[in-house]
Amino acid sequence: MTDSDQLPRGRATAEMVAARAQVSRVAVSRAFNPHTSLKPEKRELILKIAQELNYTPDRAARALVSGRSHLVGVIVPDVCSHWESQEIDALTTALQAEGFATLLFKTRTDYSMDEQLLAYMRGFNPDSVIAFVENVKPHTLARFLDRAVPIYVHYPLPGASVEPEGEPLHDRLNVLQRDGIDQAIALLQGFGARRIAYLSGAEKSRANGSRERTLRQVMADRGLAPPVVARGDFGYDAAYQATIDLFRVGDGADAIFAANDVGAFGVIDALRHELKLRVPEDVKVVGFDDIAQSHWKSYNLTTVKFDLDERVRALVRLILRRLNNPDAPGFQETLNTRLVVRGTVG
Amino acid sequence: MTDSDQLPRGRATAEMVAARAQVSRVAVSRAFNPHTSLKPEKRELILKIAQELNYTPDRAARALVSGRSHLVGVIVPDVCSHWESQEIDALTTALQAEGFATLLFKTRTDYSMDEQLLAYMRGFNPDSVIAFVENVKPHTLARFLDRAVPIYVHYPLPGASVEPEGEPLHDRLNVLQRDGIDQAIALLQGFGARRIAYLSGAEKSRANGSRERTLRQVMADRGLAPPVVARGDFGYDAAYQATIDLFRVGDGADAIFAANDVGAFGVIDALRHELKLRVPEDVKVVGFDDIAQSHWKSYNLTTVKFDLDERVRALVRLILRRLNNPDAPGFQETLNTRLVVRGTVG
DNA sequence: TTAAAGGATGAACACGTTTTCATTTCTCGT
DNA sequence: ACGAGAAATGAAAACGTGTTCATCCTTTAA
């Protein structure tokens, strides 16, 4: 198999395959598109020759005429952040199975949306866009992406209706945080915790805002005093320092609910290694997300699970449905949360 | 600014911008390409109108005629793996600054290359491809990617020449592991460690193979007995179990050199939480990579730093150089490693 | 003032595919 | 055997851009 001799230099085109198979170039196109009429034997022959020539239809050319790039843009502030890397991983796998590819873009970590980045991304013509940047308004996104309909992650407060009020233009992923958070607070309450602190995420983040408000409401419903707030940013280092301040400058707490798991890790390490407190005996800790690292023995974190697989499946469903119904009104998916009990409460 | 009224539905094209600016379509194309001759005032006007109309040149069309997709394919077995997620993050940032975008593909975690995936990826026509899959041969990659020249990560053994012997066809990133590993072993030896074990990475991985061989040579040079090998796979769970087996079934060790940092985390947690041994008093641990988590207080890992920024800069240099010299022989970059001392040896 | 040189400009072509449409060939019931 | 409907087929158009080339305009040097 000395390919280099027989094969022409550079990429093979449909024309070359057609010539070799003694058919028209259109037939080659049809051979690669399932729902077109082409005699089975002919399709088989074409695919065989295509494989010999290492031919694959050029997606750029295909996108130009069909209007489908089969690219899904993903905007993240920080790929290494555990939650996001796991999301990207699962999403890429799922999209790949549907014939799409993930196009990655990084924006600033301060959660400020970057109009320049949106224009840059638009050039690649993604069929859909998923933004893990919290404070970007769907309207802004929509203005920059002509074809793609952005997905809006919505966090309804307990009791509030899931029905969209404002703009039914955008697809929605509703995340019900109440159940998981209520189970967590109930567990803490059961173990005698009364002075519960909240380690926040990034201040501007919508996820953080809704999480804190849900927590307040749950605690009020259970007759608990409002939580003391320690300011974090979803990262380890900020959580570490905020916890130290909470105990050195502030009055401390007998339990800490963290806005995400990585923050909880920072809390735990600060308690154990800096403040010489025991977890869970002296202070109890609960996280949010249930990322893969949460079961590592050094942390063994009790946390509110926001199921990764469910979430990705919902996202992919939204993307595909939108692609098949470009002009339909906003679709919706709703996800719940629940507590996973491990070793940091007890 | 009621865009929706004035702006036509769908994506703006160069034609529309040209019409509005009273120039030819070619002028619009030139306005977006720096090194073309166009009267400055005219360029300015065109860019202004383009912005009003939310116009960006379509990359698909541009790729079709220029032969440059400005996409860089990245193949990974597992995005969430810490090392890889950090690499992807830094790489995406660097490529974005150069006008490229990262196209992500996932392959099987068992480090077996997937020809189907390569054909799939080829359809997107990436200008370059970076494969974090260890056992894929550059030749295989090259056969599937007509235009792109794959980058081969080479781990020369101590004393061996860096000069390529076999195929100068492929660009090379040489990683000199000796210095860092030697510093690590010297430190361990200085603290009295004699029975040093190696927690391996994935068996088929080239990085693992070369790391183990380098370690053996360094230890032999220092008059130490060859290391006992515990089989891991670069992951936390396998490292955890392998460490338990090393002490329960095998004869234990007074120091463990792990093939990567995540493996070292598994080792530490097994030692502390399962075997009730102290780190570093009873057993010393050294990792490899220096990922961001290594400074977390629960681990505070002494590790061989394989500098992320240097590595990414070298990769981007290779990519750009290759793009500007498509037919040049293989380019090379060489990186060194060094020990970062923290708290798991002492 | 004039010729040469160089910058600015637009028409036409090229890129590789899908889609549309008109034509040809096949299949099936009578 | 025959017509009708369906399936199969290829020519031509379309997608939105960069590039080439010939032309026009401006500047510069003598």
Side-chain angles (χ1 to χ4, degrees):
Chain A
M1 297 284 273
T2 56
D3 332 20
S4 48
D5 300 330
Q6 299 181 14
L7 264 58
R9 175 81 181 135
R11 233 189 117 94
T13 76
E15 197 84 48
M16 302 181 195
V17 178
R20 191 123 150 190
Q22 310 264 38
V23 296
S24 81
R25 193 173 46 68
V26 183
V28 177
S29 170
R30 281 198 249 266
F32 279 88
N33 294 52
H35 300 299
T36 52
S37 71
L38 185 67
K39 212 148 77 177
E41 331 136 30
K42 189 177 273 193
R43 165 166 286 147
E44 206 171 329
L45 170 67
I46 292 176
L47 290 178
K48 178 168 153 281
I49 291 184
Q51 188 156 17
E52 282 175 22
L53 261 53
N54 256 334
Y55 168 79
T56 320
D58 185 328
R59 302 195 92 120
R62 177 182 277 187
L64 203 54
V65 53
S66 75
R68 295 269 169 96
S69 64
H70 286 257
L71 296 173
V72 175
V74 176
I75 308 178
V76 289
D78 186 1
V79 180
C80 348
S81 167
H82 302 67
W83 191 86
E84 282 156 358
S85 71
Q86 284 171 35
E87 184 95 5
I88 293 170
D89 187 86
L91 203 53
T92 300
T93 306
L95 289 175
Q96 202 165 301
E98 302 286 344
F100 291 82
T102 304
L103 202 54
L104 212 55
F105 296 92
K106 270 202 66 172
T107 184
R108 291 196 287 263
T109 50
D110 63 356
Y111 285 80
S112 74
M113 181 41 75
D114 192 342
E115 301 218 336
Q116 199 184 343
L117 176 67
L118 288 178
Y120 180 70
M121 183 175 61
R122 182 182 52 210
F124 290 96
N125 234 328
D127 287 340
S128 185
V129 170
I130 299 174
F132 292 127
V133 184
E134 285 283 320
N135 72 336
V136 58
K137 298 208 180 74
H139 178 71
T140 309
L141 221 51
R143 196 163 64 83
F144 277 87
L145 304 164
D146 351 74
R147 211 163 43 204
V149 175
I151 296 170
Y152 183 79
V153 180
H154 182 56
Y155 302 94
L157 289 182
S161 167
V162 167
E163 291 306 306
E165 331 78 38
E167 322 141 89
L169 281 165
H170 308 104
D171 298 333
R172 260 199 186 179
L173 185 66
N174 297 307
V175 182
L176 306 178
Q177 303 178 106
R178 190 188 172 284
D179 287 2
I181 293 180
D182 188 60
Q183 289 163 21
I185 299 303
L187 186 71
L188 291 175
Q189 210 172 6
F191 278 103
R194 290 297 173 269
R195 296 172 49 242
I196 301 175
Y198 175 63
L199 175 89
S200 82
E203 198 166 356
K204 288 183 184 173
S205 148
R206 253 182 28 245
N208 174 65
S210 66
R211 207 155 296 165
E212 178 173 340
R213 271 178 296 166
T214 303
L215 175 68
R216 283 180 184 281
Q217 193 156 337
V218 162
M219 287 176 68
D221 290 348
R222 292 190 162 273
L224 289 163
V228 177
V229 174
R231 275 269 152 257
D233 65 358
F234 289 131
Y236 175 93
D237 293 325
Y240 191 88
Q241 191 55 49
T243 305
I244 293 173
D245 293 345
L246 178 66
F247 280 78
R248 295 258 167 86
V249 182
D251 298 330
D254 49 19
I256 301 179
F257 178 85
N260 66 329
D261 285 355
V262 174
F265 299 158
V267 169
I268 293 172
D269 280 352
L271 290 170
R272 286 181 179 156
H273 298 99
E274 192 78 27
L275 300 164
K276 310 299 177 192
L277 292 166
R278 291 168 304 165
V279 177
E281 295 85 350
D282 300 328
V283 184
K284 299 164 202 339
V285 179
V286 179
F288 195 104
D289 283 342
D290 193 27
I291 61 177
Q293 287 77 5
S294 298
H295 85 271
W296 287 11
K297 294 287 178 182
S298 281
Y299 300 111
N300 197 25
L301 183 68
T302 294
T303 187
V304 176
K305 186 182 189 75
F306 181 14
D307 195 85
L308 175 67
D309 288 334
E310 271 185 28
R311 196 166 67 231
V312 167
R313 274 200 299 271
L315 282 175
V316 172
R317 269 200 301 273
L318 283 176
I319 292 173
L320 295 181
R321 228 181 298 169
R322 171 57 54 196
L323 235 57
N324 294 331
N325 311 66
D327 297 318
F331 294 111
Q332 288 197 55
E333 293 276 346
T334 300
L335 301 176
N336 209 339
T337 55
R338 64 182 171 78
L339 188 68
V340 174
V341 179
R342 295 206 185 87
T344 54
V345 176
Chain B
M1 295 284 271
T2 57
D3 334 20
S4 47
D5 299 329
Q6 298 181 16
L7 264 59
R9 174 84 181 130
R11 230 190 120 91
T13 77
E15 196 85 46
M16 303 180 195
V17 177
R20 192 125 151 190
Q22 310 263 38
V23 296
S24 79
R25 193 184 50 72
V26 184
V28 178
S29 170
R30 281 198 249 267
F32 279 89
N33 294 52
H35 299 298
T36 53
S37 71
L38 185 66
K39 214 150 69 177
E41 332 136 27
K42 189 177 274 194
R43 166 167 286 149
E44 206 171 329
L45 170 68
I46 292 176
L47 290 178
K48 177 169 154 281
I49 292 185
Q51 189 157 15
E52 283 175 22
L53 262 53
N54 255 334
Y55 168 79
T56 320
D58 186 327
R59 298 253 181 182
R62 180 181 273 189
L64 203 53
V65 54
S66 75
R68 294 270 168 95
S69 65
H70 287 255
L71 295 172
V72 174
V74 175
I75 309 178
V76 288
D78 187 0
V79 180
C80 348
S81 167
H82 302 66
W83 191 86
E84 281 156 0
S85 72
Q86 284 172 34
E87 183 98 6
I88 292 170
D89 187 85
L91 203 53
T92 300
T93 305
L95 289 174
Q96 202 165 300
E98 301 285 346
F100 292 82
T102 305
L103 202 55
L104 211 54
F105 296 93
K106 271 202 64 172
T107 183
R108 292 196 287 263
T109 49
D110 63 356
Y111 286 78
S112 74
M113 180 41 74
D114 193 342
E115 302 217 336
Q116 199 184 340
L117 175 68
L118 289 178
Y120 181 70
M121 183 174 61
R122 182 181 52 209
F124 289 96
N125 234 327
D127 288 339
S128 184
V129 170
I130 298 174
F132 293 126
V133 184
E134 285 284 320
N135 70 335
V136 58
K137 298 209 181 74
H139 179 70
T140 308
L141 222 50
R143 196 162 63 85
F144 276 86
L145 305 164
D146 351 74
R147 211 165 42 204
V149 175
I151 296 170
Y152 184 79
V153 180
H154 182 56
Y155 302 93
L157 288 182
S161 166
V162 167
E163 291 306 305
E165 330 79 36
E167 322 141 87
L169 281 164
H170 309 104
D171 297 333
R172 261 199 186 177
L173 185 66
N174 298 307
V175 182
L176 307 178
Q177 304 178 107
R178 190 187 172 284
D179 287 1
I181 293 179
D182 188 59
Q183 289 163 21
I185 298 303
L187 186 72
L188 290 175
Q189 208 173 9
F191 278 102
R194 289 297 173 269
R195 296 172 48 243
I196 300 175
Y198 175 65
L199 175 88
S200 81
E203 198 165 357
K204 289 183 184 173
S205 147
R206 251 181 30 242
N208 175 65
S210 67
R211 207 154 295 166
E212 178 173 340
R213 270 177 297 166
T214 303
L215 176 68
R216 283 180 184 281
Q217 193 157 337
V218 162
M219 288 177 68
D221 289 350
R222 292 191 161 273
L224 289 162
V228 177
V229 174
R231 276 268 151 256
D233 64 359
F234 289 130
Y236 176 93
D237 292 327
Y240 191 89
Q241 191 54 50
T243 306
I244 293 174
D245 292 346
L246 177 66
F247 281 77
R248 294 258 168 86
V249 181
D251 299 329
D254 49 19
I256 301 179
F257 178 85
N260 66 329
D261 285 355
V262 175
F265 298 159
V267 169
I268 292 172
D269 280 351
L271 290 171
R272 286 181 179 156
H273 299 98
E274 192 79 27
L275 300 165
K276 311 299 178 192
L277 292 166
R278 290 168 305 165
V279 178
E281 294 85 350
D282 300 328
V283 183
K284 300 162 200 344
V285 179
V286 179
F288 195 104
D289 284 341
D290 193 27
I291 61 177
Q293 287 77 7
S294 298
H295 85 271
W296 288 10
K297 295 286 177 181
S298 282
Y299 299 112
N300 196 26
L301 183 69
T302 295
T303 187
V304 176
K305 186 181 190 73
F306 181 13
D307 194 85
L308 176 65
D309 288 334
E310 271 185 29
R311 195 166 66 229
V312 167
R313 274 199 299 271
L315 282 175
V316 172
R317 270 199 301 273
L318 283 175
I319 292 173
L320 294 181
R321 226 179 301 168
R322 171 57 56 196
L323 235 56
N324 295 330
N325 312 65
D327 296 318
F331 294 111
Q332 288 196 55
E333 292 277 346
T334 300
L335 301 176
N336 209 338
T337 55
R338 64 183 171 79
L339 188 68
V340 174
V341 179
R342 294 206 187 87
T344 53
V345 177

